[in-house]
Amino acid sequence: MADIRQKESLNGIAAAMQAGCSAICWPGGDGRRLYGRNFDFDRLAQGTGILFVPAGQAYQCCIDAQDDRPSEHFRSRYAAMGMGLMLPGGTAAFYDGINEKGLMGAQLYYRNFAHFEAPPAQGTRLQPPLLVTHFLSQCATVEEAVTMLQQEVTLCGVPLLGTVPPLHWMFSDRGGEAVVIESDADGLHIYRNSIGVMTNSPGYAWHRTHLLCFSGVQDADRGAMQFGPEVIESCFSGSGCSGLPGDWSSPSRFVRLAFLQKYAQPGADEAADVANLFHALQSAAFPLGMVRVEQAPAAAHDADIRPFDYTVYSGVMCADSLSYYWTSYENQRIQGISMKELQKDGVVRRFELGRTPDILMRAPEEGQAL
């Protein structure tokens, strides 16, 4: 019975990776580098939490292969932390995360475009849902991640218990470079020094070109307009962003986040940067009730399934402090964990999301009498 539940849970992970999602690299004050993402779906696999995995942990980057070839085992070079689920056998499936060297990344749904070849006879096979885990475990920088993908591993369509989720990825590091990785029908595409924003399908190259449709967007208001002899003065703020799309489609979310990043204001400290990035992520977040979806079959572990995609959680990482922050749809209070503290005892740990609403009610005597 335990094996059946584990298989159902893993199938749920694969289904959950067919979510929406947005990701953005964020320039903070004093050169701080942050990375944020929204996870948009109609459920979250039971057991999902914030995982910390120390260096030296054994794991696999291709499991449940449907041939007789034994799965290759690895040991992590670096400690890593992020949102994910611990698989049977001790492999952490990170949806997003950061490692001790400041490499940060996430996987996003890439429907109708992702294409993965059959597994090769030789070499290291890498299943798409385990790419974030493998890169965070072995790579210190974007450069190392790209080299590994080009020379050491092969992304392949080996099912994770019957499913190959369509994914693409974005990574960034302390140096500030953002790389987008997409495996399409015409081959592997690696976009170096990208804008640092990614949502869902179509691919990055399309989204980048689509930004040209919004060349008139600016942070400053428009001036007065003259029609014949009459001059109409501006009477409201925000006119510089007229035409910015406001729906929750992938192209619209990409455009909004690209401009929010372009005009980002650095914070005075990390707390301010984190708060600013969560505000930006809210601009692309799915409100419950606005994105109705056809529900996938429920696995035994699934709970609180809703007929809508919504932003189940938002995560923010900081490459300098090695901290991971998050909010959930139900609980908007920012919670955080420092990897530096977790590294002291080197124990694998999982933290709950804490999805119960947390509202701070102030006592009457706290108010200043006037």
Side-chain angles (χ1 to χ4, degrees):
M1 181 64 72
D3 288 341
I4 293 174
R5 289 199 185 104
Q6 288 174 339
K7 290 182 179 180
E8 288 174 336
S9 184
L10 287 177
N11 279 320
I13 297 167
M17 290 175 184
Q18 299 179 13
C21 306
S22 305
I24 180 172
C25 300
W26 193 257
D30 297 327
R32 283 182 294 273
R33 300 292 180 176
L34 293 89
Y35 185 113
R37 73 87 49 88
N38 287 337
F39 184 92
D40 311 313
F41 195 48
D42 66 349
R43 71 195 77 183
L44 192 64
Q46 197 170 36
T48 294
I50 299 85
L51 301 177
F52 169 74
V53 179
Q57 183 76 6
Y59 71 96
Q60 296 169 268
C61 62
C62 186
I63 60 177
D64 194 39
Q66 297 180 1
D67 56 28
D68 296 328
R69 180 180 171 187
S71 296
E72 191 172 359
H73 287 74
F74 296 84
R75 284 200 177 273
S76 56
R77 297 178 60 192
Y78 306 115
M81 177 173 65
M83 197 71 70
L85 187 63
M86 190 63 71
L87 307 181
T91 295
F94 282 113
Y95 314 153
D96 55 69
I98 179 173
N99 71 12
E100 64 179 273
K101 296 298 183 179
L103 182 66
M104 306 171 287
Q107 57 194 20
L108 293 83
Y109 191 43
Y110 192 36
R111 185 174 66 187
N112 294 348
F113 286 86
H115 178 84
F116 305 108
E117 299 290 345
Q122 303 294 328
T124 299
R125 300 167 296 173
L126 179 57
Q127 281 173 304
L130 298 178
L131 184 145
V132 175
T133 296
H134 193 48
F135 281 12
L136 294 183
S137 298
Q138 302 296 331
C139 304
T141 63
V142 163
E143 186 68 40
E144 289 185 13
V146 170
T147 299
M148 172 172 283
L149 190 58
Q150 291 176 327
Q151 301 180 10
E152 301 177 25
V153 300
T154 300
L155 268 171
C156 54
V158 175
L160 183 64
L161 292 174
T163 304
V164 181
L167 301 172
H168 60 173
W169 302 265
M170 185 171 73
F171 286 85
S172 187
D173 59 22
R174 286 174 174 163
E177 182 187 355
V179 61
V180 173
I181 299 166
E182 295 177 338
S183 182
D184 297 292
D186 62 347
L188 182 66
H189 298 274
I190 300 174
Y191 300 98
R192 302 290 302 268
N193 295 297
S194 74
I195 293 169
V197 171
M198 197 63 251
T199 53
N200 310 111
S201 306
Y204 173 76
W206 184 94
H207 283 294
R208 181 180 179 276
T209 302
H210 183 230
L211 285 174
L212 293 174
C213 296
F214 305 91
S215 59
V217 172
Q218 62 185 40
D219 58 342
D221 286 341
R222 305 293 178 184
M225 298 179 66
Q226 185 163 359
F227 293 87
E230 190 164 1
V231 177
I232 304 175
E233 298 288 346
S234 178
C235 62
F236 55 84
S237 296
S239 61
C241 294
S242 179
L244 202 63
D247 62 81
W248 292 280
S249 66
S250 174
S252 294
R253 285 181 282 121
F254 188 102
V255 171
R256 288 205 301 281
L257 288 175
F259 280 100
L260 284 166
Q261 183 205 65
K262 175 180 175 65
Y263 295 116
Q265 294 297 299
D269 53 25
E270 183 174 321
D273 284 328
V274 169
N276 289 342
L277 181 45
F278 272 112
H279 277 298
L281 290 170
Q282 280 294 324
S283 175
F286 285 30
L288 183 61
M290 290 301 297
V291 186
R292 185 180 293 275
V293 294
E294 182 178 348
Q295 290 179 287
H301 70 285
D302 285 332
D304 193 27
I305 302 175
R306 308 186 185 191
F308 303 95
D309 275 355
Y310 66 105
T311 301
V312 182
Y313 76 85
S314 299
V316 166
M317 297 151 258
C318 179
D320 297 82
S321 68
L322 303 182
S323 297
Y324 187 95
Y325 304 90
W326 74 95
T327 62
S328 69
Y329 192 88
E330 301 83 0
N331 183 5
Q332 288 294 295
R333 182 173 185 175
I334 298 174
Q335 304 171 71
I337 300 172
S338 167
M339 187 190 304
K340 293 177 181 178
E341 294 299 315
L342 294 171
Q343 285 181 281
K344 293 178 181 178
D345 60 10
V347 176
V348 177
R349 295 188 183 276
R350 182 177 72 86
F351 297 84
E352 297 288 345
L353 272 69
R355 299 177 70 179
T356 302
D358 185 0
I359 300 173
L360 177 63
M361 297 298 293
R362 306 300 292 267
E365 58 269 20
E366 292 183 80
Q368 182 181 4
L370 300 177

